[in-house]
Amino acid sequence: MTTNPNISRRGLRDVAVVFITLTALSGAVAVVAGLRHDGAWAAVELAACGVSTLALHRVSRWLDADADRAVLAALASGAATPSDLAANLGLRVAVVRLSLARLLSSGQVERDGRGFARRHDR
């Protein structure tokens, strides 16, 4: 369900962890280089920190889009609660709730009187 069919959600999460680590390490090295008055090294590390932050943002957006597509596909079969969707999709309830909030704000999903979310028929 990801943008790239060769990468799973677990793979994307692993990539996100790598980018978080790279961002933290390059930021720490940039601070140390700045304290040692090594401007060139600090600039290189700050650039690496910025690039890894942008890459982490992109991975996060891929994970969000993947969750949104999975929730929409599950809602096509009928109304469901966030807990039911999470259990059926193998996602955390928090991920499903965030996805439903995004889909509600975009108008792709609506709530019925029982509090269930379902796909908006267009």
Side-chain angles (χ1 to χ4, degrees):
M1 305 279 320
T2 60
T3 303
N4 184 345
N6 298 324
I7 301 175
S8 66
R9 279 190 68 80
R10 180 179 295 278
L12 284 174
R13 285 193 306 260
D14 293 343
V15 169
V17 169
V18 168
F19 282 127
I20 288 170
T21 305
L22 180 61
T23 301
L25 287 176
S26 61
V29 171
V31 168
V32 170
L35 291 173
R36 292 184 178 206
H37 303 290
D38 188 0
W41 190 247
V44 167
E45 289 301 319
L46 284 174
C49 186
V51 167
S52 63
T53 302
L54 290 173
L56 181 60
H57 174 73
R58 187 66 187 147
V59 169
S60 173
R61 297 296 300 247
W62 281 339
L63 284 168
D64 290 346
D66 181 56
D68 291 352
R69 280 191 301 275
V71 168
L72 277 175
L75 288 174
S77 63
T81 64
S83 300
D84 293 339
L85 288 169
N88 291 339
L89 296 173
L91 298 172
R92 294 183 179 131
V93 176
V95 171
V96 172
R97 286 185 181 146
L98 286 171
S99 181
L100 286 171
R102 281 191 299 272
L103 294 170
L104 280 167
S105 68
S106 69
Q108 295 177 323
V109 166
E110 63 184 12
R111 289 186 185 267
D112 64 11
R114 297 176 305 238
F116 297 122
R118 77 174 144 201
R119 191 170 187 169
H120 185 69
D121 296 323
R122 289 186 181 191

